[in-house]
Amino acid sequence: MKNTARFRHFVAEFTRLAEKNGNDEQVMLDAGSKLLTDLITHDDWLPEECAQPHPQFYQQYLLHCDPLERFSVVSFVWGPGQKTPVHDHMVWGMVGMMRGAESCHRFESPAAGKPMKPSATERLHPGAVDRVSPTIGDIHEVANAYDDRVSISIHVYGANIGAVKRHVFDPATGVDKPFVSGYSSPLLPNFWDRSAEVRATLTPAA
Ligand code: FE
């Protein structure tokens, strides 16, 4: 049995945070990364169907979208050696490492016709949370750090990220192309079936 209560708690707390501080990126990132850290340091809640790799493409399973689209939560499942193109987000985002490891290469904003400059490289281990946004640096390339196993990270973004107009970049020339990521599945996992715990509280009929 997956600990679905853990994810419901995360969504409830994040919703309260968005209600109070949704327009303050710094607060969303600071308080939000604490909530995300707590979620990813307990790997007991992610449904199996949202942990499945694809032989060719990294997978993005939507776990929750706030009904007002103030935030979304996505599980990224990286097959061995899979990686993103160089891309941006256009909103704040957090990458929380849960299983395996990722390498993240950050880039400076491109100058027309010139190769893009890498600004930082880091390796994320389970429990680590990385941040992106147009104000703190929004362009990166993310890869599974392993070429022989699956890695999984849980991402939170300040919008319905699959439907945001963003960009991918050619790092050799800095030329960008429009990009809308979408999601890998038309279905959402069901974290909300609490019937077993409620049935357990029923007193048997006399
Ligand atoms: Fe990204």
Coordinates of all heavy atoms in Angstrom, one line a residue, residues 7 10-11 14-15 18 28 36 39 60-76 89 91-95 154-164 166 181-183 188:
F7 N 1.2 12.4 0.1 CA 1.0 13.3 -1.1 C -0.2 14.2 -0.9 O -0.1 15.4 -1.2 CB 0.9 12.5 -2.4 CG 0.9 13.4 -3.6 CD1 2.1 14.0 -4.0 CD2 -0.2 13.7 -4.3 CE1 2.1 14.8 -5.1 CE2 -0.2 14.6 -5.4 CZ 1.0 15.1 -5.8
F10 N 1.0 17.0 1.3 CA 1.8 17.9 0.5 C 1.0 18.9 -0.3 O 1.2 20.1 -0.3 CB 2.8 17.1 -0.4 CG 3.6 18.0 -1.4 CD1 4.7 18.6 -1.0 CD2 3.1 18.1 -2.7 CE1 5.4 19.4 -1.9 CE2 3.8 18.9 -3.6 CZ 5.0 19.6 -3.2
V11 N 0.0 18.3 -1.0 CA -0.9 19.1 -1.9 C -1.7 20.1 -1.1 O -1.8 21.3 -1.4 CB -1.8 18.2 -2.7 CG1 -2.9 19.1 -3.4 CG2 -1.0 17.5 -3.8
F14 N 0.8 22.8 0.1 CA 1.2 23.7 -1.0 C 0.0 24.6 -1.4 O 0.3 25.8 -1.8 CB 1.7 22.9 -2.2 CG 2.9 23.4 -2.8 CD1 4.2 22.9 -2.5 CD2 2.8 24.6 -3.6 CE1 5.3 23.5 -3.1 CE2 4.0 25.1 -4.2 CZ 5.2 24.6 -3.9
T15 N -1.2 24.1 -1.3 CA -2.3 24.9 -1.7 C -2.5 26.1 -0.7 O -2.7 27.2 -1.1 CB -3.6 24.1 -1.7 OG1 -3.4 23.0 -2.6 CG2 -4.8 24.9 -2.2
A18 N 0.1 28.6 -1.6 CA -0.2 29.4 -2.8 C -1.3 30.4 -2.5 O -1.3 31.5 -3.1 CB -0.6 28.4 -3.9
M28 N 7.4 31.3 -2.2 CA 7.0 30.0 -2.7 C 8.2 29.1 -2.9 O 8.1 27.9 -2.6 CB 6.4 30.2 -4.1 CG 5.0 31.0 -4.1 SD 3.8 30.2 -3.0 CE 3.4 28.7 -3.9
L36 N 8.7 20.3 -0.3 CA 9.1 19.3 -1.3 C 10.2 18.4 -0.7 O 10.2 17.2 -1.0 CB 9.6 20.1 -2.6 CG 10.1 19.2 -3.7 CD1 9.0 18.2 -4.2 CD2 10.6 20.0 -4.9
L39 N 8.6 15.8 1.2 CA 8.0 14.8 0.3 C 9.0 13.8 -0.2 O 8.8 12.6 -0.2 CB 7.2 15.5 -0.8 CG 6.4 14.6 -1.8 CD1 5.2 14.0 -1.1 CD2 6.0 15.4 -3.0
Q60 N 7.1 12.5 -18.1 CA 6.6 13.6 -17.3 C 5.1 13.3 -16.9 O 4.2 13.5 -17.7 CB 6.7 14.9 -18.0 CG 8.0 15.2 -18.5 CD 8.0 16.3 -19.6 OE1 7.9 17.5 -19.3 NE2 8.0 15.9 -20.8
Y61 N 4.9 12.7 -15.7 CA 3.6 12.3 -15.3 C 3.0 13.4 -14.4 O 3.6 13.7 -13.3 CB 3.6 11.0 -14.5 CG 4.1 9.8 -15.3 CD1 5.4 9.3 -15.1 CD2 3.3 9.2 -16.2 CE1 5.8 8.2 -15.8 CE2 3.7 8.1 -16.9 CZ 5.0 7.6 -16.7 OH 5.5 6.5 -17.4
L62 N 1.9 14.0 -14.8 CA 1.3 15.0 -13.9 C 0.7 14.3 -12.7 O -0.1 13.3 -12.9 CB 0.2 15.7 -14.7 CG -0.6 16.8 -13.9 CD1 0.3 18.0 -13.5 CD2 -1.8 17.3 -14.7
L63 N 1.0 14.8 -11.5 CA 0.5 14.2 -10.3 C -0.6 15.0 -9.7 O -1.6 14.5 -9.2 CB 1.6 14.0 -9.2 CG 2.8 13.2 -9.6 CD1 3.8 13.2 -8.5 CD2 2.4 11.8 -10.0
H64 N -0.5 16.3 -9.9 CA -1.6 17.2 -9.4 C -1.4 18.6 -10.1 O -0.3 19.1 -10.3 CB -1.4 17.5 -7.9 CG -2.4 18.5 -7.4 ND1 -3.7 18.2 -7.1 CD2 -2.2 19.8 -7.0 CE1 -4.3 19.2 -6.7 NE2 -3.4 20.2 -6.6
C65 N -2.5 19.2 -10.5 CA -2.5 20.6 -11.0 C -3.5 21.3 -10.1 O -4.7 20.9 -10.0 CB -2.9 20.7 -12.5 SG -2.7 22.4 -13.1
D66 N -3.0 22.4 -9.5 CA -3.9 23.3 -8.7 C -5.1 23.7 -9.7 O -4.8 24.1 -10.8 CB -3.1 24.5 -8.3 CG -3.9 25.5 -7.6 OD1 -4.5 25.3 -6.6 OD2 -4.0 26.6 -8.2
P67 N -6.3 23.7 -9.2 CA -7.4 24.1 -10.1 C -7.3 25.5 -10.6 O -7.9 25.8 -11.6 CB -8.7 23.9 -9.2 CG -8.2 23.6 -7.8 CD -6.8 23.2 -7.9
L68 N -6.6 26.4 -9.9 CA -6.4 27.8 -10.4 C -5.1 27.9 -11.1 O -4.7 29.0 -11.4 CB -6.5 28.8 -9.2 CG -7.8 28.7 -8.4 CD1 -7.7 29.8 -7.3 CD2 -9.0 28.9 -9.3
E69 N -4.4 26.7 -11.3 CA -3.2 26.7 -12.1 C -2.1 27.5 -11.5 O -1.2 28.0 -12.2 CB -3.4 27.0 -13.6 CG -4.4 25.9 -14.2 CD -4.5 26.1 -15.7 OE1 -3.6 25.8 -16.5 OE2 -5.6 26.7 -16.1
R70 N -2.1 27.6 -10.2 CA -1.0 28.4 -9.5 C 0.2 27.5 -9.3 O 1.3 28.0 -9.1 CB -1.5 28.9 -8.1 CG -2.6 29.9 -8.2 CD -3.3 30.1 -6.8 NE -3.8 28.9 -6.3 CZ -4.6 28.8 -5.2 NH1 -4.9 29.9 -4.5 NH2 -5.1 27.7 -4.8
F71 N 0.0 26.2 -9.4 CA 1.2 25.3 -9.3 C 0.8 23.9 -9.9 O -0.4 23.6 -9.9 CB 1.8 25.2 -7.9 CG 0.9 24.4 -6.9 CD1 1.1 23.1 -6.7 CD2 -0.2 25.1 -6.3 CE1 0.3 22.4 -5.8 CE2 -1.0 24.4 -5.4 CZ -0.8 23.0 -5.1
S72 N 1.8 23.2 -10.3 CA 1.6 21.8 -10.7 C 2.7 20.9 -10.2 O 3.8 21.4 -9.9 CB 1.5 21.7 -12.2 OG 2.6 22.3 -12.8
V73 N 2.4 19.6 -10.0 CA 3.4 18.7 -9.5 C 3.6 17.5 -10.5 O 2.6 17.0 -10.9 CB 3.0 18.1 -8.1 CG1 4.1 17.3 -7.5 CG2 2.5 19.2 -7.2
V74 N 4.8 17.2 -10.9 CA 5.1 16.3 -12.0 C 6.2 15.3 -11.5 O 7.2 15.7 -10.9 CB 5.6 17.1 -13.2 CG1 5.8 16.1 -14.4 CG2 4.6 18.2 -13.6
S75 N 6.0 14.0 -11.8 CA 7.1 13.1 -11.6 C 7.8 12.9 -12.9 O 7.2 12.6 -13.9 CB 6.6 11.7 -11.0 OG 6.0 10.9 -12.0
F76 N 9.1 13.1 -12.9 CA 10.0 13.0 -14.0 C 10.7 11.6 -13.8 O 11.4 11.4 -12.8 CB 11.1 14.1 -14.1 CG 10.6 15.3 -14.9 CD1 9.5 16.0 -14.4 CD2 11.3 15.7 -16.0 CE1 9.1 17.1 -15.1 CE2 10.8 16.8 -16.8 CZ 9.8 17.5 -16.3
H89 N 11.8 27.7 -18.5 CA 10.5 27.4 -17.8 C 9.5 28.5 -17.8 O 8.3 28.3 -17.8 CB 10.8 27.0 -16.3 CG 11.9 26.0 -16.3 ND1 13.2 26.3 -16.3 CD2 11.8 24.6 -16.2 CE1 13.9 25.2 -16.3 NE2 13.1 24.1 -16.2
V91 N 8.5 30.3 -15.5 CA 7.9 30.4 -14.2 C 8.9 29.8 -13.2 O 9.8 29.1 -13.6 CB 6.5 29.7 -14.1 CG1 5.5 30.3 -15.0 CG2 6.7 28.2 -14.4
W92 N 8.6 30.0 -11.9 CA 9.5 29.4 -10.9 C 9.3 27.8 -11.0 O 8.2 27.4 -11.3 CB 9.3 29.9 -9.5 CG 8.0 29.8 -8.9 CD1 7.0 30.8 -8.8 CD2 7.4 28.6 -8.3 NE1 5.9 30.3 -8.2 CE2 6.1 29.0 -7.9 CE3 7.8 27.3 -8.1 CZ2 5.2 28.1 -7.3 CZ3 6.9 26.4 -7.5 CH2 5.6 26.8 -7.1
G93 N 10.4 27.1 -10.6 CA 10.3 25.7 -10.6 C 11.2 25.1 -9.6 O 12.3 25.7 -9.2
M94 N 10.9 23.9 -9.1 CA 11.8 23.2 -8.1 C 11.9 21.8 -8.6 O 10.9 21.1 -9.0 CB 11.2 23.2 -6.7 CG 11.2 24.6 -6.1 SD 10.5 24.6 -4.5 CE 8.8 24.4 -4.8
V95 N 13.1 21.2 -8.5 CA 13.4 19.9 -8.9 C 13.9 19.1 -7.6 O 14.9 19.5 -7.1 CB 14.6 19.8 -9.9 CG1 15.0 18.4 -10.3 CG2 14.2 20.6 -11.2
I154 N 10.9 14.7 -8.5 CA 9.5 15.3 -8.3 C 9.7 16.8 -8.5 O 10.5 17.4 -7.8 CB 8.9 15.0 -7.0 CG1 8.9 13.4 -6.7 CG2 7.5 15.5 -6.9 CD1 8.2 12.6 -7.7
H155 N 8.9 17.4 -9.5 CA 9.1 18.8 -9.8 C 7.8 19.5 -9.5 O 6.7 19.0 -9.6 CB 9.3 19.0 -11.3 CG 10.6 18.3 -11.8 ND1 11.2 18.6 -13.0 CD2 11.3 17.3 -11.3 CE1 12.3 17.8 -13.2 NE2 12.4 17.0 -12.1
V156 N 8.0 20.8 -9.0 CA 6.8 21.6 -8.7 C 7.1 22.9 -9.5 O 8.2 23.5 -9.5 CB 6.6 21.9 -7.2 CG1 5.3 22.7 -7.0 CG2 6.7 20.7 -6.4
Y157 N 6.1 23.4 -10.2 CA 6.2 24.7 -11.0 C 5.1 25.6 -10.7 O 4.0 25.2 -10.3 CB 6.1 24.3 -12.5 CG 7.2 23.4 -13.0 CD1 6.9 22.0 -13.1 CD2 8.4 23.8 -13.4 CE1 7.8 21.1 -13.6 CE2 9.3 22.9 -13.9 CZ 9.0 21.6 -14.0 OH 10.0 20.7 -14.4
G158 N 5.4 26.9 -10.9 CA 4.4 28.0 -10.6 C 3.4 28.2 -11.7 O 3.0 29.3 -12.0
A159 N 2.9 27.1 -12.3 CA 1.9 27.2 -13.3 C 1.5 25.7 -13.7 O 2.1 24.8 -13.2 CB 2.4 27.9 -14.6
N160 N 0.6 25.6 -14.6 CA 0.3 24.3 -15.2 C 1.4 24.0 -16.3 O 1.2 24.4 -17.5 CB -1.1 24.3 -15.8 CG -1.4 23.0 -16.6 OD1 -0.7 22.1 -16.6 ND2 -2.6 23.1 -17.3
I161 N 2.5 23.5 -15.8 CA 3.7 23.6 -16.6 C 3.6 22.9 -18.0 O 4.2 23.4 -19.0 CB 5.0 23.0 -15.9 CG1 6.3 23.4 -16.6 CG2 4.9 21.5 -15.7 CD1 6.6 24.9 -16.6
G162 N 2.8 21.9 -18.1 CA 2.7 21.2 -19.4 C 2.1 22.1 -20.5 O 2.2 21.8 -21.7
A163 N 1.4 23.2 -20.1 CA 0.7 24.1 -21.0 C 1.4 25.5 -21.1 O 0.8 26.4 -21.6 CB -0.7 24.2 -20.6
V164 N 2.6 25.6 -20.6 CA 3.3 26.9 -20.6 C 4.1 27.0 -21.9 O 4.8 26.1 -22.3 CB 4.2 27.1 -19.4 CG1 5.0 28.3 -19.5 CG2 3.4 27.0 -18.1
R166 N 7.2 27.8 -23.7 CA 8.6 28.0 -23.3 C 9.5 27.8 -24.5 O 9.0 27.9 -25.6 CB 9.0 26.9 -22.2 CG 7.9 26.4 -21.4 CD 8.5 25.7 -20.2 NE 8.1 24.3 -20.1 CZ 8.8 23.4 -19.6 NH1 10.0 23.6 -19.1 NH2 8.3 22.1 -19.5
S181 N 5.7 21.5 -23.3 CA 6.1 20.1 -23.0 C 4.9 19.1 -23.0 O 5.1 18.0 -23.3 CB 6.8 20.1 -21.6 OG 5.9 20.4 -20.6
G182 N 3.7 19.5 -22.5 CA 2.7 18.5 -22.3 C 3.0 17.6 -21.2 O 3.9 17.8 -20.4
Y183 N 2.3 16.4 -21.2 CA 2.5 15.4 -20.2 C 2.5 14.0 -20.9 O 2.0 13.9 -22.0 CB 1.4 15.4 -19.1 CG 1.3 16.7 -18.4 CD1 0.3 17.6 -18.6 CD2 2.3 17.1 -17.5 CE1 0.2 18.8 -17.9 CE2 2.3 18.3 -16.8 CZ 1.2 19.2 -17.0 OH 1.2 20.3 -16.3
L188 N -4.6 11.0 -14.6 CA -4.0 11.4 -13.3 C -4.1 10.2 -12.4 O -5.1 9.5 -12.4 CB -4.9 12.6 -12.7 CG -4.6 14.0 -13.2 CD1 -5.6 14.9 -12.6 CD2 -3.2 14.4 -12.8

